[in-house]
Amino acid sequence: MKKIVSLLLLVALFSSCNEYQKALKSEDVSKKFAMADTLYAQAKYTKALRLFEQIAPEYRGKPQAEKLFYMYAQSYYKTKQYHLAAYQFESFVSGYPKSVKAEEGAFLGAKSYAILSPTYSLDQADTFKAIEKMQSFIDRYPNSQYLAEANGLTKLLSEKIEQKVYENAKGYNTISDFKSALVAFDNFIADYPGTKFKEDALFYKFDSAYQLGINSVPAKMQERLNVAKISYQNLIKFKADTKYKEQASDMYARVEQELQKYTK
C-alpha cells in the first residue's frame, strides 16, 4: 500500500510539473493565469512569479488585473524580494485605490522598505525612505488594523537613525576630536531630546568637554573647564544616579580642582 501511495504521489508530482512547464511555454495567457492562481494558492510563490511576470503586461486594464497584481506583489513579498515587492505594492495601490486589498497593500509596501533598512552602522538612505513610506501609510490609514505594527516599525526605524547620529558623534570623541564631538553631541541632543541615548550622549559630551579643558592651553583652560562643569551638571540633572556616576564624579572633582586655581 505504501508503495502504491508513493507511486501515486510521484505521478501526481510529475503531472503537476508537466502542466507547469506547459503553461510556461503556452501562448494562452488565460491558461498561464489559471496555473499561476493555483500555484499561488499552494504557496508555490517562486513558480507563480514566473507566470505572473509573463502575463502581467497582458492583463492591465482587464477585470482580472486587480487580483493578478495583488498576487504578483504578494509573491515578491513572500519570496523576500522586497525591492520588487515595494514597487509592485505601490503600483497596486496606485492602480486600485478602492480595492479591499489597498490598505494591506499599502502597509506591506511600506513594510518592505522597512525590512530593507540596513543596520545602523551603514548608510541610512533606505531607513529614511522607510520612515517616509510608513508615515505616509499611517497618515492615509489612521484607523488601520496595521496601525500598531506600523507605529512600532516607525519607532524602530527612528531609533536606528538616532543611533547612527549618536555613534557618529561618539566617533569624534573616540578619535579625540573633542571640539567636533561637542558640536555633534549638542546637535544630537537638540535634534533628539527624547532619545534613549541621551544619558550616554550627555556623558560623552561631558567627557569631551573635560578632555578639551584639562588638556587645554592656559589661555583657554578656564573657559573650557567651565563648559565641562556645566556639562557635568546637565548629566546629573538628567539622571542623578547615572551609570557613569563614579567616573563622572572623579572627572568633575578634577575640573573643580583645576578651577580653584583661578579663584586665588
Side-chain angles (χ1 to χ4, degrees), residues 65-80:
E66 180 181 332
K67 179 181 180 181
L68 185 151
F69 285 106
Y70 170 77
M71 293 191 296
Y72 191 16
Q74 275 282 17
S75 295
Y76 278 128
Y77 185 82
K78 296 292 187 181
T79 54
K80 300 183 179 181

Side-chain angles (χ1 to χ4, degrees), residues 143-163:
N143 300 311
S144 173
Q145 61 179 311
Y146 305 107
L147 185 62
E149 187 177 358
N151 283 328
L153 286 169
T154 302
K155 183 174 184 293
L156 289 174
L157 292 166
S158 297
E159 287 178 352
K160 193 180 293 187
I161 297 294
E162 289 177 16
Q163 187 168 6

Side-chain angles (χ1 to χ4, degrees), residues 50-226:
R50 291 187 65 188
L51 292 165
F52 287 138
E53 287 168 349
Q54 288 183 351
I55 64 177
E58 303 295 329
Y59 270 85
R60 294 190 184 280
K62 293 185 177 181
Q64 307 97 319
E66 180 181 332
K67 179 181 180 181
L68 185 151
F69 285 106
Y70 170 77
M71 293 191 296
Y72 191 16
Q74 275 282 17
S75 295
Y76 278 128
Y77 185 82
K78 296 292 187 181
T79 54
K80 300 183 179 181
Q81 299 181 68
Y82 297 114
H83 278 110
L84 291 169
Y87 173 80
Q88 288 298 336
F89 276 124
E90 286 189 332
S91 179
F92 172 77
V93 174
S94 176
Y96 306 97
K98 296 182 180 180
S99 170
V100 294
K101 297 291 188 180
E103 179 183 329
E104 179 189 12
F107 173 68
L108 291 178
K111 187 175 180 179
S112 295
Y113 284 110
I115 293 170
L116 289 168
S117 170
T119 184
Y120 77 88
S121 59
L122 300 177
D123 181 81
Q124 293 300 300
D126 282 338
T127 305
F128 281 110
K129 189 171 187 178
I131 292 172
E132 176 189 345
K133 298 295 183 180
M134 197 62 71
Q135 190 58 56
S136 178
F137 168 78
I138 292 170
D139 293 342
R140 185 171 183 176
Y141 300 98
N143 300 311
S144 173
Q145 61 179 311
Y146 305 107
L147 185 62
E149 187 177 358
N151 283 328
L153 286 169
T154 302
K155 183 174 184 293
L156 289 174
L157 292 166
S158 297
E159 287 178 352
K160 193 180 293 187
I161 297 294
E162 289 177 16
Q163 187 168 6
K164 175 74 171 180
V165 179
Y166 164 72
E167 293 293 348
N168 284 345
K170 188 179 176 184
Y172 289 119
N173 176 275
T174 301
I175 64 173
S176 301
D177 185 355
F178 300 119
K179 288 182 180 179
S180 296
L182 284 173
V183 173
F185 279 123
D186 274 341
N187 290 337
F188 173 73
I189 293 166
D191 291 341
Y192 304 98
T195 177
K196 67 178 183 179
F197 301 107
K198 189 167 184 177
E199 179 183 359
D200 303 285
L202 287 169
F203 171 73
Y204 284 106
K205 179 189 173 184
F206 168 50
D207 181 67
S208 298
Y210 169 82
Q211 297 294 344
L212 195 61
I214 292 299
N215 299 295
S216 179
V217 294
K220 296 183 177 180
M221 182 173 283
Q222 183 179 14
E223 177 186 353
R224 289 176 174 175
L225 288 171
N226 279 321

Side-chain angles (χ1 to χ4, degrees), residues 35-47:
M35 177 57 71
D37 191 11
T38 299
L39 291 168
Y40 180 87
Q42 295 172 349
K44 296 178 181 179
Y45 303 112
T46 300
K47 286 186 174 182

